[in-house]
Amino acid sequence: MRLRHKPWAEEKLKAYPQYAIQDPQALKGKWQDHFAKKQALHLEIGSGKGQFILGMAQAHPEVNYIAMELQTSAIISILNAQIEAQLPNLLLINGHGGDIDQFFAPGEVDRLYLNFSDPWPKKRHAKRRLTSPQFLEKYRHILSPQGEIHFKTDNQGLFEYSLASLSQYGYQLKQVWLDLHQSDFEGNIQSEYEEKFAQKGQAIYRLEAVWPQS
């Protein structure tokens, strides 16, 4: 995602600490205390401009959501929408997905969303993929018992890699969609990228995975 640099964005994020968490490490193990209600906690890594996570938070007030996005010029769009909507079940983190084990305590997250992540197609960059073993270990650490990973992409290669990576690491695949928009799946909320690719007629791949209880 290439976005125009917004030099004022960091200052605006700091101006709204009630939505954009300035020190997520300080809330490790205490996230529920920062929401209006204590309820299931869902995290999206790589939220972009936030169309998916905002839609989910609006559609499911019974769930607490955290949008995590590295690019300040993207997450500012989520903040602007949140300032207007003032959703009590949505918080923002301007940070890197590789740091989640520093931000969340073991078992603190009930569901993790990975939507249209960078496929990093070259083999030498495989470890950067958000479904690589390095990341899967972090997810296992922060997910609650029977916590789930929900993954969507338009990239067939990344999807095949993710199916293999999750299975080989020990995650259990609950369900797989090879063409989501031609399926009977209900309640799908699209990200910006999903809308773009679907309009071009590209298949959208989706999976749900869980770490099995021992």
Side-chain angles (χ1 to χ4, degrees):
M1 181 187 297
R2 294 182 179 180
L3 298 171
R4 180 181 300 175
H5 178 60
K6 300 173 182 177
W8 47 267
E10 290 188 9
E11 288 303 316
K12 187 166 186 178
L13 288 171
K14 292 177 182 178
Y16 290 90
Q18 69 271 40
Y19 301 133
I21 303 303
Q22 302 302 305
D23 184 10
Q25 287 179 302
L27 294 187
K28 184 175 181 178
K30 305 174 184 176
W31 283 96
Q32 293 290 0
D33 296 337
H34 214 71
F35 286 97
K37 297 179 182 179
K38 293 184 178 181
Q39 47 197 17
L41 181 62
H42 294 186
L43 166 68
E44 182 187 25
I45 297 179
S47 296
K49 294 182 179 180
Q51 181 171 304
F52 172 82
I53 200 73
L54 286 160
M56 291 294 285
Q58 290 168 341
H60 300 283
E62 75 283 2
V63 176
N64 290 331
Y65 291 92
I66 297 176
M68 188 171 187
E69 170 58 45
L70 178 61
Q71 295 192 57
T72 306
S73 295
I75 200 170
I76 198 68
S77 296
I78 309 177
L79 176 62
N80 288 336
Q82 174 64 330
I83 291 171
E84 181 176 349
Q86 297 185 26
L87 298 170
N89 61 332
L90 177 62
L91 295 175
L92 285 61
I93 298 176
N94 183 201
H96 193 282
D99 296 330
I100 57 173
D101 52 346
Q102 299 178 37
F103 301 157
F104 299 95
E108 192 169 17
V109 176
D110 297 295
R111 183 175 298 171
L112 180 68
Y113 298 102
L114 304 173
N115 293 315
F116 299 86
S117 310
D118 193 326
W120 294 104
K122 295 181 180 179
K123 287 186 177 180
R124 69 175 183 271
H125 294 151
K127 66 181 180 180
R128 300 183 184 181
R129 298 169 189 164
L130 292 185
T131 49
S132 68
Q134 293 91 329
F135 281 97
L136 295 183
E137 170 61 20
K138 293 177 183 288
Y139 305 155
R140 186 175 71 86
H141 182 70
I142 68 168
L143 282 172
S144 62
Q146 293 297 296
E148 297 180 351
I149 296 174
H150 290 195
F151 173 79
K152 286 197 285 188
T153 183
D154 67 301
N155 189 290
Q156 182 178 346
L158 178 61
F159 194 68
E160 292 172 350
Y161 169 87
S162 300
L163 287 172
S165 182
L166 284 158
S167 297
Q168 291 168 6
Y169 196 82
Y171 284 86
Q172 177 183 335
L173 296 173
K174 292 183 60 180
Q175 199 162 352
V176 173
W177 292 261
L178 298 180
D179 194 343
L180 180 63
H181 290 196
Q182 298 302 316
S183 73
D184 59 358
F185 181 82
E186 297 181 355
N188 183 50
I189 292 180
Q190 300 186 58
S191 70
E192 298 90 346
Y193 276 132
E194 184 172 353
E195 277 192 350
K196 174 183 176 181
F197 295 133
Q199 288 172 2
K200 293 180 179 180
Q202 294 178 234
I204 303 301
Y205 305 94
R206 186 178 188 274
L207 67 80
E208 295 178 3
V210 61
W211 184 262
Q213 289 183 324
S214 56

